[in-house]
Amino acid sequence: MASHSVTLRHHFENAEQQKDASTIGMWMFLVTEIMFFGGLFMAYIAYRGAYPEAFAAGSEKLNIVYGTINTLVLICSSLTMAMAVHSAAVGKKKMIVLFLILTLILGGVFLGIKAVEYHDKYVGHEIPGVNFHPEIDGHPNVAVQNVSLYFALYFGMTGLHAMHMIVGVGMISFLIFKASRGAYTAEWHTPVELFGLYWHFVDIVWIFLFPLLYLIDLHQGR
Amino acid sequence: MSNHPDHIVPVRVYIFVFLALMVFTVLTVYAATIDLGRYNIVLALVIACIKASLVIMFFMHVYYSSKLTKAIVIAGLCTLMILFFFTLTDLATRGALQGTTDWVGVPGR
């Protein structure tokens, strides 16, 4: 356990206690994040319940192919992140860097596709604001301001999610830099592991955003 | 490895969870194209909950974590359920006072 003396802070009994404290701290943060996104999900549920037709009309404007590809990309990035943590735990230093870079690339692909989607929304006048006039001719009974509500929630929720991805991409770049210098060993790789928790959390948020925003009105035809 | 504090999760677990997530994603997209009426939402959310549970339990190692970590995760999810449950009981029943099933309590309505 000699290597522990390098990274064990003096106020901890042993490496296990130090790691438990860090893990619990990260989970406390993630729990606040659950409530942070939870408020937006609650707003979505409340307004969807009030204006289901308008939400269906808004949902119809999304591109299922982009959404599905992004979901698959994010799941792949979760696998590569889990593999980065695993590589760290078994002490394969080069594999940590490789898997972190793969995760970074997949995160970038997700954000790129998201940017294309946002651009499509911009071109289609589907961003709430002065130029908001989406094509909802197929829904004569739907008020345009209620469709605006759907898109406000769409941009609020996916925007906040994308912001978390951008923060994650920043942090992962730092981790790649440190990992390439061999900072993380089998004995101590807490930053990689805790960042993994954050990355998987962001994946979970998307797991719920995808069906709620893209899928649940699909069966009504488009 | 005997003095190591970590529980090292085997790679095959990650691969299995990954494949399950992929299958469930394809399944949820396919299920969304079938008209199940109001049960489309239920099915989509059930699949999403299964996917999220797989990620939390295995990718996030909660299955292998200490009881304190498990308690924090469960407490967090319960707090979210309190938010959903009490808001929904209000929204779903307020219209009954006015003889309607509409969600009249939503601001702007």
Side-chain angles (χ1 to χ4, degrees), chain A residues 19 47 50 75 86 186 189 219, chain B residues 4 6 9 32 35 40 106 109:
Chain A
K19 186 163 173 233
Y47 281 105
I75 290 170
H86 179 85
H189 54 274
H219 66 278
Chain B
H4 205 276
D6 290 345
V9 184
D35 191 358
N40 273 99
V106 176
R109 178 127 200 152

Side-chain angles (χ1 to χ4, degrees), chain A residues 198-216:
Chain A
Y198 175 86
W199 194 258
H200 297 313
F201 169 79
V202 175
D203 185 21
I204 289 171
V205 172
W206 184 259
I207 283 174
F208 284 100
L209 285 179
F210 176 55
L212 287 179
L213 293 172
Y214 290 78
L215 294 181
I216 54 180

Side-chain angles (χ1 to χ4, degrees), chain B residues 13-26:
Chain B
V13 172
Y14 290 140
I15 301 291
F16 180 78
V17 170
F18 166 74
L19 291 176
L21 290 172
M22 288 302 225
V23 169
F24 276 122
T25 301
V26 173

